[in-house]
Amino acid sequence: MDMTLKDRFSSLWKKYFPEVELPIAFWYSDEAEGTEKVHVPKEHRCFLSDLAAVRQGKSLRFDEYTVGCEGGKRYLGFSDKLKPNFEHFLSCGIPGKVEGERYKKTPELVKEFLQQDQQFQAPEQYIVFKRFDQLGWGDQPIAMIFVASPDILAGLFTLANFSEGEANGVFCPFCAGCASIVKYPLLENTAERPRAVLGMFDITARPFVGRHDLSFAVPMRKFASMVEDMEESFLTTKSWSIVQRRVEMAARKGE
């Protein structure tokens, strides 16, 4: 981690987003030092349930055996498998055989969606998650993940678009909650013009975040430019100061 960037962001985050929780970062590594390995789950467990501990300051690493759901393994790059009859599972189901989530209208639409789905393979043994203040000089984050309420998201969204000449510096793909914070920001990090990813609209994932929270994942190349822009952006204006007071009050109330 670029420690100059870390110190600058920490200072500006406290200034413009006072008392708001820090983002968490992820990357892939073959090294285990400085992180705690998640226990192999005995039954199905949503990967997102473990991230609550990371948000509280615990540094965790996962591998193909410790991600507790098949979707999580796929969207973190540890598997390319889909459950049998996935096109029915994501849509209307099969009576008496497969319960459908009804996230797509028809199995045919699911197949069309999957044809456009870009997959990737985890480049190293572990995926590591750390809260921002736990990052050290040897860490190599791929993206920063904010879990935030609408006022904070409004600030992040506007900052992400500050240096863009067109309207889509942020995008919101239809995907699993874990894909919105790992897969898509990872793919964006190698794009010519990386975008931030708004997510956590996955109904199955919603119980694992606060009812007012969504995710905002920023590829590191984008993150560095956003930090550089903070002091000359709208964050210095009266308009933001009004919102900022509400953000600070909500943080103090634990909302």
Side-chain angles (χ1 to χ4, degrees), residues 87-95 97-103:
E87 67 273 20
H88 295 276
F89 167 72
L90 200 64
S91 60
C92 56
I94 301 175
K97 185 177 180 180
V98 177
E99 182 178 359
E101 289 189 313
R102 296 187 175 271
Y103 291 162

Side-chain angles (χ1 to χ4, degrees), residues 45-103:
R45 183 179 73 216
C46 179
F47 151 77
L48 294 168
S49 66
D50 292 310
L51 289 191
V54 180
R55 292 171 64 187
Q56 295 300 314
K58 184 176 287 189
S59 298
L60 299 179
R61 69 183 187 276
F62 299 78
D63 58 23
E64 61 178 312
Y65 305 106
T66 53
V67 177
C69 67
E70 292 305 313
K73 290 180 182 180
R74 178 178 174 86
Y75 300 124
L76 272 62
F78 292 120
S79 172
D80 60 0
K81 295 180 181 178
L82 289 169
K83 64 169 55 184
N85 297 304
F86 182 78
E87 67 273 20
H88 295 276
F89 167 72
L90 200 64
S91 60
C92 56
I94 301 175
K97 185 177 180 180
V98 177
E99 182 178 359
E101 289 189 313
R102 296 187 175 271
Y103 291 162

Side-chain angles (χ1 to χ4, degrees), residues 45 139-140 146 194 244 247:
R45 183 179 73 216
D139 297 331
Q140 299 294 325
F146 297 82
Q244 180 179 322
V247 168

Side-chain angles (χ1 to χ4, degrees), residues 160-224:
N161 282 288
F162 180 71
S163 293
E164 298 290 342
E166 57 93 39
N168 298 301
V170 178
F171 84 120
C172 183
F174 170 81
C175 63
C178 48
S180 69
I181 63 172
V182 174
K183 173 187 169 180
Y184 281 101
L186 179 148
L187 295 175
E188 284 296 310
N189 202 42
T190 60
E192 180 178 351
R193 185 182 64 85
R195 299 168 292 175
V197 183
L198 180 62
M200 215 55 66
F201 293 95
D202 177 5
I203 303 304
T204 308
R206 289 302 306 163
F208 302 103
V209 295
R211 63 191 180 95
H212 298 302
D213 291 338
L214 293 173
S215 64
F216 194 89
V218 187
M220 279 306 293
R221 288 171 53 216
K222 180 77 171 176
F223 177 76

